[in-house]
């Protein structure tokens, strides 16, 4: 279809279905490019967060290793406890280095290999992690509910014992000086 412009030139315009198809193809390409860019951004962010989490885990493992090493140093030289704590500290330090040095994909592959070789140990470890997670969730819920009930924020520490510890000797008769519930 051709039309004459005001300046006397002739312009050939595509028919409406042809124009719609061309515009649809252009929109599709733009949408695909935008989706690809967003996907790359999300993947990059996920990798950055995973690496940061991996570093945090490695730092925590190193902290436990240092604590075990300190405890080992305070024990009698050559004792079974000192050797056990020292070996545990060395193992934890090695594990922290492994976590830092490996790619997240490699760690997932290694975990899968371990699960295939030792399914009972893997399931036992998963169960222990689950129990620990539930305990932490319950403790944080208890602490949050306690803060809400008192109307004042706590110290941020979880209340694992439900607030009943050994702080009060009169809380239990056997904890008093006379053993009869009397504080003399």
């Amino acid at each position: 279809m051709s039309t004459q412009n005001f300046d006397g030139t002739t312009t050939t315009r595509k028919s409406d279905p042809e124009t719609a198809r061309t515009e649809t193809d252009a929109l599709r390409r733009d949408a695909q490019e935008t989706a690809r860019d967003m996907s790359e951004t999300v993947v990059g962010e996920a990798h950055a967060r995973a690496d940061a989490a991996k570093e945090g885990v490695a730092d925590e493992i190193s902290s436990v290793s240092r604590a075990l090493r300190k405890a080992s140093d305070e024990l009698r030289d050559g004792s079974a406890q000192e050797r056990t704590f020292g070996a545990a500290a060395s193992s934890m330090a090695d594990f922290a280095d492994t976590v830092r040095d490996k790619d997240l994909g490699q760690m997932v592959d290694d975990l899968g290999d371990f699960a295939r070789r030792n399914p009972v140990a893997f399931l036992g470890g998963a169960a222990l992690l689950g129990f620990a997670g539930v305990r932490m969730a319950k403790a944080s819920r208890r602490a949050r509910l306690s803060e809400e009930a008192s109307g004042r924020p706590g110290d941020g520490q979880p209340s694992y014992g439900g607030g009943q510890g050994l702080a009060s000797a009169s809380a239990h008769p056997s904890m008093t000086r006379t053993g009869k519930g009397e504080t003399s």
Side-chain angles (χ1 to χ4, degrees), residues 80-118:
Q81 295 87 355
E82 185 263 340
R83 289 191 310 267
T84 302
F85 276 55
S90 295
S91 295
M92 294 294 277
D94 291 344
F95 183 60
D97 291 340
T98 299
V99 168
R100 275 193 186 90
D101 295 340
K102 283 197 175 186
D103 181 31
L104 192 59
Q106 289 175 318
M107 287 193 294
V108 169
D109 290 343
D110 289 349
L111 184 62
D113 291 342
F114 176 78
R116 281 188 286 284
R117 283 191 318 268
N118 304 305

Side-chain angles (χ1 to χ4, degrees), residues 45-168:
E45 182 68 24
H47 280 293
R49 287 182 185 224
D51 287 342
K54 184 178 75 164
E55 282 298 316
V57 167
D59 290 344
E60 287 297 319
I61 294 169
S62 292
S63 174
V64 170
S65 173
R66 284 190 300 274
L68 287 172
R69 179 67 61 201
K70 185 176 179 182
S72 170
D73 291 344
E74 292 178 5
L75 295 171
R76 184 173 42 97
D77 284 342
S79 70
Q81 295 87 355
E82 185 263 340
R83 289 191 310 267
T84 302
F85 276 55
S90 295
S91 295
M92 294 294 277
D94 291 344
F95 183 60
D97 291 340
T98 299
V99 168
R100 275 193 186 90
D101 295 340
K102 283 197 175 186
D103 181 31
L104 192 59
Q106 289 175 318
M107 287 193 294
V108 169
D109 290 343
D110 289 349
L111 184 62
D113 291 342
F114 176 78
R116 281 188 286 284
R117 283 191 318 268
N118 304 305
V120 173
F122 176 78
L123 290 175
L128 285 175
L129 284 174
F131 290 138
V134 167
R135 182 164 173 96
M136 284 181 14
K138 283 183 177 180
S140 66
R141 180 175 183 267
R142 243 182 285 153
R144 187 179 67 249
L145 291 175
S146 174
E147 286 177 7
E148 289 172 1
S150 68
R152 57 192 159 106
D155 61 359
Q157 300 297 319
S159 173
Y160 290 105
Q164 297 174 350
L166 297 177
S168 172

Side-chain angles (χ1 to χ4, degrees), residues 169-170 172-184:
S170 62
H172 193 275
S174 65
M175 304 275 303
T176 62
R177 198 177 295 181
T178 61
K180 298 180 182 176
E182 301 170 6
T183 54
S184 51

Side-chain angles (χ1 to χ4, degrees), residues 22-55:
T22 304
E23 289 178 6
T24 303
D25 288 345
L27 285 172
R28 181 179 44 81
R29 281 191 302 275
D30 287 347
Q32 287 174 338
E33 186 177 322
T34 301
R36 191 174 18 260
D37 290 345
M38 290 176 69
S39 173
E40 290 172 2
T41 301
V42 167
V43 167
E45 182 68 24
H47 280 293
R49 287 182 185 224
D51 287 342
K54 184 178 75 164
E55 282 298 316

